[in-house]
Protein backbone atom coordinates (compact mmCIF):
# COMPACT_ATOMS: atom_id res chain seq x y z
CA UNK A 1 0.00 0.00 0.00
CA UNK A 2 1.45 3.32 -1.07
CA UNK A 3 2.34 5.95 1.50
CA UNK A 4 3.00 8.61 -1.14
CA UNK A 5 0.38 10.16 -3.39
CA UNK A 6 0.07 12.76 -6.11
CA UNK A 7 -2.81 14.40 -4.23
CA UNK A 8 -4.37 13.92 -0.83
CA UNK A 9 -7.72 15.51 -0.05
CA UNK A 10 -7.35 15.68 3.70
CA UNK A 11 -9.61 16.40 6.64
CA UNK A 12 -13.01 16.39 4.98
CA UNK A 13 -16.21 14.48 5.61
CA UNK A 14 -16.41 11.85 2.87
CA UNK A 15 -19.86 10.80 1.68
CA UNK A 16 -20.08 7.81 -0.66
CA UNK A 17 -21.47 4.27 -0.97
CA UNK A 18 -19.84 3.32 2.35
CA UNK A 19 -21.55 6.04 4.35
CA UNK A 20 -20.64 9.47 5.66
CA UNK A 21 -17.71 10.25 7.93
CA UNK A 22 -14.20 11.66 8.29
CA UNK A 23 -11.69 10.30 5.78
CA UNK A 24 -8.90 11.34 3.46
CA UNK A 25 -8.76 10.56 -0.26
CA UNK A 26 -5.42 9.65 -1.84
CA UNK A 27 -4.92 10.00 -5.61
CA UNK A 28 -2.27 8.42 -7.85
CA UNK A 29 -2.19 8.91 -11.64
CA UNK A 30 -5.62 10.50 -11.70
CA UNK A 31 -7.35 7.62 -9.92
CA UNK A 32 -8.45 7.11 -6.35
CA UNK A 33 -5.83 4.91 -4.68
CA UNK A 34 -7.02 4.97 -1.08
CA UNK A 35 -9.84 6.29 1.10
CA UNK A 36 -9.21 6.36 4.83
CA UNK A 37 -6.79 7.79 7.38
CA UNK A 38 -3.85 9.17 5.41
CA UNK A 39 -2.51 11.40 8.16
CA UNK A 40 0.87 9.69 7.99
CA UNK A 41 1.07 9.73 4.19
CA UNK A 42 2.77 12.31 2.01
CA UNK A 43 1.73 13.86 -1.29
CA UNK A 44 2.96 16.30 -3.92
CA UNK A 45 -0.23 18.29 -3.29
CA UNK A 46 -2.46 18.37 -0.22
CA UNK A 47 -5.94 19.86 -0.38
CA UNK A 48 -7.21 20.93 3.04
CA UNK A 49 -10.87 19.91 3.04
CA UNK A 50 -11.54 20.85 6.67
CA UNK A 51 -15.17 21.86 7.09
CA UNK A 52 -16.12 20.48 3.69
CA UNK A 53 -18.03 17.42 2.54
CA UNK A 54 -16.30 15.41 -0.19
CA UNK A 55 -18.77 13.93 -2.69
CA UNK A 56 -18.34 11.75 -5.77
CA UNK A 57 -17.96 14.10 -8.73
CA UNK A 58 -21.28 15.45 -10.01
CA UNK A 59 -22.10 14.44 -13.60
CA UNK A 60 -24.61 16.54 -15.57
CA UNK A 61 -26.02 14.25 -18.23
CA UNK A 62 -27.93 16.89 -20.21
CA UNK A 63 -26.43 20.18 -21.37
CA UNK A 64 -26.67 22.25 -24.55
CA UNK A 65 -23.41 24.16 -25.04
CA UNK A 66 -24.45 25.49 -28.48
CA UNK A 67 -21.18 24.92 -30.34
CA UNK A 68 -20.86 24.82 -33.30
CA UNK A 69 -23.17 27.34 -34.91
CA UNK A 70 -24.81 29.11 -31.97
CA UNK A 71 -21.80 30.44 -30.09
CA UNK A 72 -23.41 33.79 -29.28
CA UNK A 73 -25.50 31.88 -26.72
CA UNK A 74 -22.74 29.61 -25.33
CA UNK A 75 -19.73 27.58 -26.40
CA UNK A 76 -17.87 24.56 -25.10
CA UNK A 77 -15.38 26.66 -23.13
CA UNK A 78 -17.89 28.97 -21.43
CA UNK A 79 -20.38 26.18 -20.75
CA UNK A 80 -17.74 23.92 -19.20
CA UNK A 81 -16.40 26.89 -17.23
CA UNK A 82 -19.87 27.29 -15.71
CA UNK A 83 -19.98 23.55 -15.03
CA UNK A 84 -16.64 23.48 -13.21
CA UNK A 85 -17.57 26.54 -11.15
CA UNK A 86 -20.77 24.71 -10.22
CA UNK A 87 -18.97 21.61 -8.93
CA UNK A 88 -19.65 19.49 -12.03
CA UNK A 89 -16.87 17.15 -13.20
CA UNK A 90 -18.38 15.86 -16.46
CA UNK A 91 -21.13 16.84 -18.90
CA UNK A 92 -23.02 15.06 -21.67
CA UNK A 93 -23.76 17.55 -24.47
CA UNK A 94 -26.71 17.51 -26.85
CA UNK A 95 -26.73 17.19 -30.68
CA UNK A 96 -28.99 20.14 -31.62
CA UNK A 97 -26.17 22.40 -32.74
CA UNK A 98 -25.63 23.74 -36.27
CA UNK A 99 -24.84 21.45 -37.92
CA UNK A 100 -26.58 18.76 -35.91
CA UNK A 101 -24.34 16.03 -34.47
CA UNK A 102 -25.57 13.11 -36.59
CA UNK A 103 -22.53 11.49 -38.22
CA UNK A 104 -18.87 10.63 -37.56
CA UNK A 105 -17.58 13.94 -38.92
CA UNK A 106 -19.75 16.15 -36.72
CA UNK A 107 -18.94 14.00 -33.67
CA UNK A 108 -15.20 14.21 -34.41
CA UNK A 109 -15.52 17.96 -34.86
CA UNK A 110 -17.03 18.39 -31.40
CA UNK A 111 -14.34 16.28 -29.79
CA UNK A 112 -11.66 18.33 -31.54
CA UNK A 113 -13.27 21.59 -30.43
CA UNK A 114 -13.45 20.31 -26.84
CA UNK A 115 -9.82 19.28 -26.52
CA UNK A 116 -7.92 21.63 -24.20
CA UNK A 117 -10.89 24.04 -24.17
CA UNK A 118 -13.35 22.24 -21.90
CA UNK A 119 -12.70 22.42 -18.15
CA UNK A 120 -14.68 19.26 -17.44
CA UNK A 121 -14.69 15.79 -18.90
CA UNK A 122 -17.32 15.41 -21.58
CA UNK A 123 -19.29 13.20 -23.93
CA UNK A 124 -21.59 14.02 -26.82
CA UNK A 125 -24.92 12.58 -27.92
CA UNK A 126 -25.43 11.63 -31.53
CA UNK A 127 -28.85 12.72 -32.79
CA UNK A 128 -31.17 10.02 -34.08
CA UNK A 129 -32.98 10.95 -37.31
CA UNK A 130 -35.01 9.30 -40.04
CA UNK A 131 -31.98 9.62 -42.31
CA UNK A 132 -29.32 8.06 -40.07
CA UNK A 133 -31.40 5.49 -38.18
CA UNK A 134 -29.84 2.48 -39.91
CA UNK A 135 -26.34 3.68 -38.97
CA UNK A 136 -27.00 4.35 -35.28
CA UNK A 137 -25.53 1.03 -34.13
CA UNK A 138 -22.18 2.22 -35.46
CA UNK A 139 -22.57 5.88 -34.48
CA UNK A 140 -23.39 5.09 -30.84
CA UNK A 141 -20.05 3.29 -30.55
CA UNK A 142 -17.95 6.27 -31.62
CA UNK A 143 -15.36 7.46 -29.06
CA UNK A 144 -16.80 10.16 -26.82
CA UNK A 145 -20.42 9.29 -27.63
CA UNK A 146 -22.72 8.91 -24.61
CA UNK A 147 -25.59 7.52 -26.70
CA UNK A 148 -28.37 8.37 -29.13
CA UNK A 149 -30.71 11.32 -28.48
CA UNK A 150 -34.14 11.54 -30.13
CA UNK A 151 -36.52 14.51 -30.13
CA UNK A 152 -40.14 13.36 -30.35
CA UNK A 153 -41.21 17.01 -29.95
CA UNK A 154 -40.00 19.93 -32.08
CA UNK A 155 -36.27 20.53 -32.43
CA UNK A 156 -33.72 21.90 -34.90
CA UNK A 157 -32.66 20.61 -38.30
CA UNK A 158 -33.57 16.99 -39.04
CA UNK A 159 -33.62 15.90 -35.40
CA UNK A 160 -37.41 15.62 -35.06
CA UNK A 161 -38.66 12.01 -35.11
CA UNK A 162 -42.35 12.39 -34.31
CA UNK A 163 -43.85 9.24 -35.85
CA UNK A 164 -44.02 5.74 -34.42
CA UNK A 165 -42.35 4.19 -37.47
CA UNK A 166 -39.43 6.58 -37.11
CA UNK A 167 -39.00 5.92 -33.39
CA UNK A 168 -39.33 2.19 -34.00
CA UNK A 169 -36.60 2.33 -36.66
CA UNK A 170 -34.26 4.27 -34.35
CA UNK A 171 -34.78 1.75 -31.55
CA UNK A 172 -34.23 -1.22 -33.84
CA UNK A 173 -30.75 0.01 -34.69
CA UNK A 174 -29.58 1.07 -31.21
CA UNK A 175 -28.05 -1.32 -28.73
CA UNK A 176 -27.20 1.13 -25.95
CA UNK A 177 -29.91 2.89 -23.96
CA UNK A 178 -31.48 5.55 -26.23
CA UNK A 179 -32.43 8.93 -24.78
CA UNK A 180 -35.66 10.78 -25.60
CA UNK A 181 -37.27 14.19 -25.37
CA UNK A 182 -40.82 12.91 -24.96
CA UNK A 183 -43.59 15.26 -26.09
CA UNK A 184 -46.22 14.38 -28.71
CA UNK A 185 -45.47 16.60 -31.72
CA UNK A 186 -48.89 16.06 -33.29
CA UNK A 187 -50.69 17.31 -30.19
CA UNK A 188 -48.26 20.23 -29.85
CA UNK A 189 -49.04 21.33 -33.40
CA UNK A 190 -52.79 21.11 -32.75
CA UNK A 191 -52.45 23.22 -29.61
CA UNK A 192 -50.28 26.03 -30.98
CA UNK A 193 -53.33 28.29 -31.49
CA UNK A 194 -53.79 28.24 -27.69
CA UNK A 195 -50.69 30.43 -27.27
CA UNK A 196 -51.71 33.86 -25.98
CA UNK A 197 -49.39 36.49 -27.46
CA UNK A 198 -47.18 38.01 -24.77
CA UNK A 199 -48.56 35.67 -22.06
CA UNK A 200 -46.05 33.06 -20.96
CA UNK A 201 -48.57 31.51 -18.57
CA UNK A 202 -50.10 29.90 -21.67
CA UNK A 203 -46.90 27.92 -22.38
CA UNK A 204 -47.89 24.94 -20.17
CA UNK A 205 -51.32 25.03 -21.82
CA UNK A 206 -49.87 24.77 -25.31
CA UNK A 207 -47.46 22.03 -24.22
CA UNK A 208 -49.87 20.46 -21.74
CA UNK A 209 -49.37 17.48 -19.48
CA UNK A 210 -51.27 15.23 -21.89
CA UNK A 211 -48.71 16.01 -24.62
CA UNK A 212 -46.03 14.52 -22.38
CA UNK A 213 -47.87 11.49 -21.04
CA UNK A 214 -49.23 10.55 -24.51
CA UNK A 215 -45.73 10.57 -25.91
CA UNK A 216 -44.20 8.64 -23.01
CA UNK A 217 -46.87 5.93 -23.23
CA UNK A 218 -46.17 5.59 -26.96
CA UNK A 219 -42.43 5.51 -26.35
CA UNK A 220 -42.55 2.81 -23.69
CA UNK A 221 -44.84 0.71 -25.88
CA UNK A 222 -42.41 0.96 -28.79
CA UNK A 223 -39.44 0.14 -26.55
CA UNK A 224 -41.20 -3.02 -25.35
CA UNK A 225 -42.18 -3.97 -28.90
CA UNK A 226 -38.61 -3.67 -30.17
CA UNK A 227 -36.96 -4.90 -26.96
CA UNK A 228 -34.80 -1.87 -26.23
CA UNK A 229 -33.88 0.28 -23.21
CA UNK A 230 -34.86 3.95 -23.10
CA UNK A 231 -34.07 7.00 -20.97
CA UNK A 232 -36.79 9.66 -20.66
CA UNK A 233 -35.40 13.15 -20.23
CA UNK A 234 -36.79 16.00 -18.10
CA UNK A 235 -39.99 14.28 -16.97
CA UNK A 236 -42.46 16.96 -15.83
CA UNK A 237 -45.79 15.35 -14.99
CA UNK A 238 -47.17 13.42 -12.05
CA UNK A 239 -48.85 11.01 -14.46
CA UNK A 240 -45.56 10.15 -16.16
CA UNK A 241 -43.96 9.37 -12.82
CA UNK A 242 -46.80 6.98 -11.95
CA UNK A 243 -46.64 5.36 -15.39
CA UNK A 244 -42.85 5.07 -15.51
CA UNK A 245 -42.80 3.55 -12.03
CA UNK A 246 -44.54 0.53 -13.59
CA UNK A 247 -42.04 0.35 -16.46
CA UNK A 248 -38.64 0.58 -14.80
CA UNK A 249 -37.47 -2.59 -16.53
CA UNK A 250 -37.16 -0.67 -19.81
CA UNK A 251 -37.20 3.02 -18.84
CA UNK A 252 -34.93 5.22 -16.74
CA UNK A 253 -35.95 8.72 -15.70
CA UNK A 254 -34.32 12.15 -15.57
CA UNK A 255 -35.59 15.14 -13.57
CA UNK A 256 -34.25 18.71 -13.58
CA UNK A 257 -33.71 21.15 -10.70
CA UNK A 258 -35.87 23.69 -12.51
CA UNK A 259 -38.92 21.43 -12.66
CA UNK A 260 -38.41 20.46 -9.02
CA UNK A 261 -38.07 24.06 -7.81
CA UNK A 262 -40.03 26.46 -10.04
CA UNK A 263 -43.84 26.37 -10.17
CA UNK A 264 -46.43 27.65 -12.65
CA UNK A 265 -48.04 30.14 -12.93
CA UNK A 266 -45.85 32.07 -10.46
CA UNK A 267 -42.61 31.46 -12.36
CA UNK A 268 -44.07 32.78 -15.63
CA UNK A 269 -45.61 35.83 -13.95
CA UNK A 270 -42.30 36.70 -12.28
CA UNK A 271 -39.74 35.63 -14.88
CA UNK A 272 -41.77 35.84 -18.10
CA UNK A 273 -39.65 34.46 -20.97
CA UNK A 274 -36.85 33.42 -18.63
CA UNK A 275 -39.16 30.69 -17.25
CA UNK A 276 -39.87 29.23 -20.69
CA UNK A 277 -38.43 25.79 -21.38
CA UNK A 278 -39.56 22.54 -22.98
CA UNK A 279 -41.24 20.62 -21.46
CA UNK A 280 -42.69 23.52 -19.45
CA UNK A 281 -42.48 24.47 -15.81
CA UNK A 282 -45.76 23.07 -14.46
CA UNK A 283 -48.20 23.52 -11.60
CA UNK A 284 -47.69 22.52 -7.96
CA UNK A 285 -49.47 19.17 -8.35
CA UNK A 286 -46.92 18.09 -10.95
CA UNK A 287 -43.99 19.37 -8.91
CA UNK A 288 -45.29 17.28 -6.01
CA UNK A 289 -45.49 14.28 -8.33
CA UNK A 290 -41.86 14.71 -9.34
CA UNK A 291 -40.81 14.80 -5.70
CA UNK A 292 -42.73 11.55 -5.17
CA UNK A 293 -40.65 10.18 -8.01
CA UNK A 294 -37.52 11.06 -6.06
CA UNK A 295 -38.87 9.74 -2.76
CA UNK A 296 -40.00 6.45 -4.29
CA UNK A 297 -36.83 5.86 -6.29
CA UNK A 298 -38.45 6.27 -9.72
CA UNK A 299 -36.05 9.05 -10.75
CA UNK A 300 -32.60 7.86 -11.77
CA UNK A 301 -30.62 11.00 -12.56
CA UNK A 302 -30.66 14.78 -12.33
CA UNK A 303 -29.73 16.76 -15.42
CA UNK A 304 -29.71 20.53 -15.70
CA UNK A 305 -30.94 20.75 -19.32
CA UNK A 306 -28.64 23.78 -19.49
CA UNK A 307 -29.92 25.50 -22.66
CA UNK A 308 -29.02 29.20 -22.72
CA UNK A 309 -30.41 31.98 -24.91
CA UNK A 310 -29.55 35.66 -24.82
CA UNK A 311 -31.64 38.12 -22.83
CA UNK A 312 -32.53 39.85 -26.10
CA UNK A 313 -33.89 36.60 -27.52
CA UNK A 314 -35.78 35.84 -24.32
CA UNK A 315 -37.40 39.30 -24.36
CA UNK A 316 -39.34 38.54 -27.54
CA UNK A 317 -43.08 38.33 -26.81
CA UNK A 318 -44.44 34.81 -26.36
CA UNK A 319 -44.56 32.58 -28.38
CA UNK A 320 -41.69 34.12 -30.40
CA UNK A 321 -39.39 33.77 -27.39
CA UNK A 322 -37.18 30.66 -27.43
CA UNK A 323 -37.42 27.85 -24.87
CA UNK A 324 -34.49 26.98 -22.63
CA UNK A 325 -32.58 28.27 -19.62
CA UNK A 326 -29.09 27.92 -18.15
CA UNK A 327 -28.66 25.51 -15.24
CA UNK A 328 -25.31 23.68 -15.11
CA UNK A 329 -23.73 26.14 -12.65
CA UNK A 330 -26.74 26.14 -10.30
CA UNK A 331 -27.61 22.42 -10.21
CA UNK A 332 -25.53 21.71 -7.09
CA UNK A 333 -26.53 24.72 -4.92
CA UNK A 334 -30.22 24.43 -5.85
CA UNK A 335 -30.37 20.74 -4.99
CA UNK A 336 -28.24 21.11 -1.84
CA UNK A 337 -30.78 23.70 -0.71
CA UNK A 338 -33.42 20.99 -0.97
CA UNK A 339 -31.09 18.75 1.06
CA UNK A 340 -30.82 21.46 3.73
CA UNK A 341 -34.61 21.81 3.76
CA UNK A 342 -35.06 18.07 4.35
CA UNK A 343 -36.72 17.35 0.99
CA UNK A 344 -33.79 15.28 -0.22
CA UNK A 345 -31.19 13.25 1.63
CA UNK A 346 -27.52 13.76 0.84
CA UNK A 347 -27.32 10.08 -0.08
CA UNK A 348 -30.13 10.50 -2.63
CA UNK A 349 -28.42 13.60 -4.04
CA UNK A 350 -25.28 11.51 -4.58
CA UNK A 351 -27.33 8.74 -6.17
CA UNK A 352 -28.98 11.15 -8.61
CA UNK A 353 -25.83 13.07 -9.60
CA UNK A 354 -23.11 10.44 -9.85
CA UNK A 355 -24.15 6.83 -9.27
CA UNK A 356 -27.26 7.33 -11.42
CA UNK A 357 -25.23 8.47 -14.40
CA UNK A 358 -23.01 5.41 -14.01
CA UNK A 359 -26.01 3.06 -13.91
CA UNK A 360 -27.94 4.63 -16.79
CA UNK A 361 -25.07 5.32 -19.18
CA UNK A 362 -22.43 2.85 -18.03
CA UNK A 363 -19.60 5.31 -17.52
CA UNK A 364 -16.23 3.59 -17.20
CA UNK A 365 -14.32 4.50 -14.01
CA UNK A 366 -16.70 7.38 -13.24
CA UNK A 367 -19.74 7.88 -11.04
CA UNK A 368 -18.42 6.46 -7.79
CA UNK A 369 -15.91 7.45 -5.14
CA UNK A 370 -14.02 4.19 -4.73
CA UNK A 371 -10.53 2.80 -5.23
CA UNK A 372 -9.70 2.42 -8.90
CA UNK A 373 -12.21 5.01 -10.10
CA UNK A 374 -11.26 8.36 -11.61
CA UNK A 375 -10.48 10.89 -8.88
CA UNK A 376 -13.55 13.01 -9.65
CA UNK A 377 -14.65 14.89 -6.53
CA UNK A 378 -17.13 17.65 -5.76
CA UNK A 379 -16.32 19.38 -2.48
CA UNK A 380 -19.19 21.29 -0.91
CA UNK A 381 -19.90 23.36 2.17
CA UNK A 382 -23.30 22.10 3.25
CA UNK A 383 -23.84 25.05 5.59
CA UNK A 384 -22.67 27.90 3.36
CA UNK A 385 -25.39 30.41 2.53
CA UNK A 386 -24.89 32.24 -0.76
CA UNK A 387 -27.21 34.21 -3.00
CA UNK A 388 -27.21 33.15 -6.65
CA UNK A 389 -26.65 36.21 -8.86
CA UNK A 390 -26.69 36.80 -12.60
CA UNK A 391 -23.34 38.57 -12.29
CA UNK A 392 -21.63 35.45 -10.92
CA UNK A 393 -22.64 33.19 -13.78
CA UNK A 394 -19.99 32.05 -16.24
CA UNK A 395 -22.46 31.21 -18.99
CA UNK A 396 -22.24 33.53 -21.98
CA UNK A 397 -25.97 34.26 -21.73
CA UNK A 398 -25.42 36.28 -18.52
CA UNK A 399 -28.53 35.30 -16.58
CA UNK A 400 -30.11 32.58 -14.44
CA UNK A 401 -33.76 31.96 -13.53
CA UNK A 402 -32.52 31.66 -9.93
CA UNK A 403 -31.14 35.21 -9.64
CA UNK A 404 -31.72 36.27 -6.01
CA UNK A 405 -32.22 32.68 -4.75
CA UNK A 406 -30.57 32.13 -1.37
CA UNK A 407 -28.89 28.75 -1.47
CA UNK A 408 -27.84 26.66 1.51
CA UNK A 409 -24.97 24.46 0.39
CA UNK A 410 -22.33 25.53 -2.10
CA UNK A 411 -19.66 23.91 -4.31
CA UNK A 412 -16.24 24.94 -3.01
CA UNK A 413 -13.97 22.83 -5.22
CA UNK A 414 -14.09 20.65 -8.32
CA UNK A 415 -11.50 17.94 -8.86
CA UNK A 416 -11.38 16.16 -12.23
CA UNK A 417 -9.18 13.04 -12.47
CA UNK A 418 -7.04 14.30 -9.61
CA UNK A 419 -6.66 17.84 -10.93
CA UNK A 420 -8.05 20.70 -8.86
CA UNK A 421 -10.00 22.57 -11.53
CA UNK A 422 -11.94 24.98 -9.30
CA UNK A 423 -11.36 26.21 -5.78
CA UNK A 424 -13.29 28.89 -3.87
CA UNK A 425 -15.00 30.18 -6.99
CA UNK A 426 -11.85 30.45 -9.10
CA UNK A 427 -10.75 28.23 -11.97
CA UNK A 428 -7.22 26.85 -11.62
CA UNK A 429 -4.71 26.06 -14.33
CA UNK A 430 -5.81 25.38 -17.89
CA UNK A 431 -8.74 23.52 -19.41
CA UNK A 432 -7.88 19.83 -19.55
CA UNK A 433 -11.17 17.95 -19.90
CA UNK A 434 -11.11 14.63 -21.73
CA UNK A 435 -13.75 12.39 -23.32
CA UNK A 436 -15.69 10.13 -20.97
CA UNK A 437 -15.41 6.43 -21.71
CA UNK A 438 -18.31 3.97 -21.54
CA UNK A 439 -18.29 0.29 -20.66
CA UNK A 440 -20.46 -0.75 -23.60
CA UNK A 441 -17.99 0.70 -26.09
CA UNK A 442 -14.59 -0.09 -24.58
Amino acid sequence: MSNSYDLIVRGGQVANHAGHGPADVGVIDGRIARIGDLSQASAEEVFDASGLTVLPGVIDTQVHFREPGLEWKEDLETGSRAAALGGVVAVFEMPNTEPNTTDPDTMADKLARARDRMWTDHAFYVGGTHENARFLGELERLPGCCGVKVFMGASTGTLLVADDDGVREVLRHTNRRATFHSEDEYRLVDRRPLARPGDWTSHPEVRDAESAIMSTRRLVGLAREVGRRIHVLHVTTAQEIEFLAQNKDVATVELTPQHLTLTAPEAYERLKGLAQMNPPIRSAEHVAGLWRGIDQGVADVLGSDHAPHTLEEKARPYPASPSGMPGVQTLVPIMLTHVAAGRLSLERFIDLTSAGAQRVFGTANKGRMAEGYDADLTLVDLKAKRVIRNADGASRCGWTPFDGFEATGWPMATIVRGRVVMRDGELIGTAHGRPVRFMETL
Side-chain angles (χ1 to χ4, degrees):
M1 185 178 298
S2 175
N3 204 41
S4 179
Y5 300 87
D6 300 330
L7 169 71
I8 293 176
V9 178
R10 180 170 282 159
Q13 292 285 318
V14 165
N16 66 359
H17 59 278
H20 187 182
D24 306 320
V25 181
V27 178
I28 298 176
D29 293 332
R31 298 242 177 128
I32 296 171
R34 176 95 188 278
I35 301 172
D37 181 1
L38 302 179
S39 58
Q40 302 304 308
S42 62
E44 293 182 20
E45 180 180 3
V46 175
F47 188 108
D48 182 3
S50 301
L52 303 180
T53 301
V54 184
L55 307 177
V58 169
I59 301 171
D60 189 341
T61 53
Q62 187 188 177
V63 302
H64 302 257
F65 283 173
R66 307 301 195 193
E67 183 181 350
L70 304 162
E71 286 92 343
W72 68 89
K73 303 173 191 281
E74 191 76 282
D75 65 33
L76 296 175
E77 195 279 334
T78 59
S80 66
R81 178 180 291 263
L85 288 168
V88 173
V89 302
V91 294
F92 296 176
E93 204 269 343
M94 285 294 171
N96 54 334
T97 46
E98 295 181 2
N100 298 153
T101 314
T102 54
D103 57 35
D105 289 342
T106 48
M107 177 66 72
D109 178 62
K110 277 194 173 177
L111 286 167
R113 289 168 178 269
R115 187 171 183 85
D116 294 329
R117 286 180 62 230
M118 290 190 71
W119 293 87
T120 61
D121 285 354
H122 45 269
F124 299 101
Y125 291 92
V126 62
T129 71
H130 289 97
E131 292 76 15
N132 73 358
R134 65 187 183 279
F135 304 115
L136 288 174
E138 302 163 35
L139 293 172
E140 68 179 355
R141 295 187 61 80
L142 290 171
C145 179
C146 48
V148 172
K149 164 67 182 294
V150 180
F151 292 85
M152 293 174 70
S155 185
T156 59
T158 62
L159 290 178
L160 178 64
V161 183
D163 59 302
D164 283 3
D165 285 343
V167 173
R168 190 181 287 113
E169 190 71 1
V170 165
L171 288 171
R172 279 184 178 141
H173 290 93
T174 55
N175 296 299
R176 299 172 69 182
R177 187 183 297 273
T179 299
F180 287 83
H181 178 129
S182 182
E183 289 182 285
D184 189 281
E185 176 67 7
Y186 305 106
R187 184 175 176 88
L188 296 181
V189 170
D190 289 343
R191 295 180 69 81
R192 281 178 193 162
L194 297 178
R196 295 187 292 274
D199 182 0
W200 285 272
T201 65
S202 62
H203 188 56
E205 297 171 29
V206 175
R207 305 181 85 104
D208 67 344
E210 189 61 24
S211 301
I213 186 62
M214 281 177 61
S215 177
T216 299
R217 287 193 186 109
R218 286 174 49 212
L219 175 58
V220 168
L222 291 166
R224 288 198 178 282
E225 175 189 329
V226 181
R228 292 294 189 270
R229 299 164 293 162
I230 56 172
H231 180 54
V232 188
L233 294 169
H234 41 44
V235 170
T236 59
T237 70
Q239 293 96 321
E240 283 175 286
I241 290 294
E242 293 171 9
F243 173 73
L244 290 165
Q246 305 307 312
N247 291 277
K248 293 298 296 176
D249 52 335
V250 297
T252 51
V253 174
E254 178 201 76
L255 302 180
T256 79
Q258 297 94 307
H259 292 116
L260 289 162
T261 307
L262 301 174
T263 306
E266 186 276 335
Y268 297 104
E269 294 166 349
R270 176 170 53 89
L271 296 169
K272 298 182 169 55
L274 302 186
Q276 182 184 333
M277 66 183 296
N278 299 333
I281 302 299
R282 300 201 190 275
S283 63
E285 64 178 297
H286 292 296
V287 176
L290 301 186
W291 279 105
R292 284 195 296 275
I294 284 184
D295 294 341
Q296 298 301 314
V298 181
D300 295 279
V301 296
L302 283 170
S304 71
D305 193 13
H306 176 91
H309 300 281
T310 66
L311 285 168
E312 181 181 12
E313 291 167 326
K314 280 292 199 176
R316 297 170 188 161
Y318 186 77
S321 48
S323 292
M325 60 179 74
V328 70
Q329 191 170 341
T330 54
L331 183 155
V332 171
I334 291 296
M335 297 311 298
L336 288 183
T337 302
H338 290 303
V339 171
R343 299 195 76 178
L344 179 71
S345 69
L346 186 63
E347 292 77 11
R348 187 72 168 111
F349 172 83
I350 293 168
D351 183 58
L352 290 164
T353 57
S354 56
Q358 202 284 326
R359 285 195 308 271
V360 172
F361 294 91
T363 54
N365 294 105
K366 282 192 186 299
R368 190 173 182 180
M369 190 199 308
E371 292 185 12
Y373 279 70
D374 285 353
D376 294 333
L377 305 172
T378 300
L379 281 69
V380 300
D381 184 339
L382 293 175
K383 297 180 180 178
K385 291 185 181 293
R386 304 276 181 90
V387 175
I388 295 172
R389 298 291 186 195
N390 287 336
D392 298 325
S395 173
R396 180 162 287 161
C397 72
W399 62 274
T400 167
F402 296 108
D403 181 54
F405 181 101
E406 185 178 59
T408 301
W410 201 262
M412 305 304 291
T414 307
I415 298 176
V416 180
R417 287 176 287 104
R419 281 176 177 254
V420 181
V421 173
M422 183 277 286
R423 184 170 191 169
D424 297 330
E426 299 289 337
L427 295 178
I428 296 173
T430 58
H432 201 69
R434 290 292 178 262
V436 176
R437 299 180 308 128
F438 298 89
M439 290 187 287
E440 290 186 72
T441 60
L442 289 178

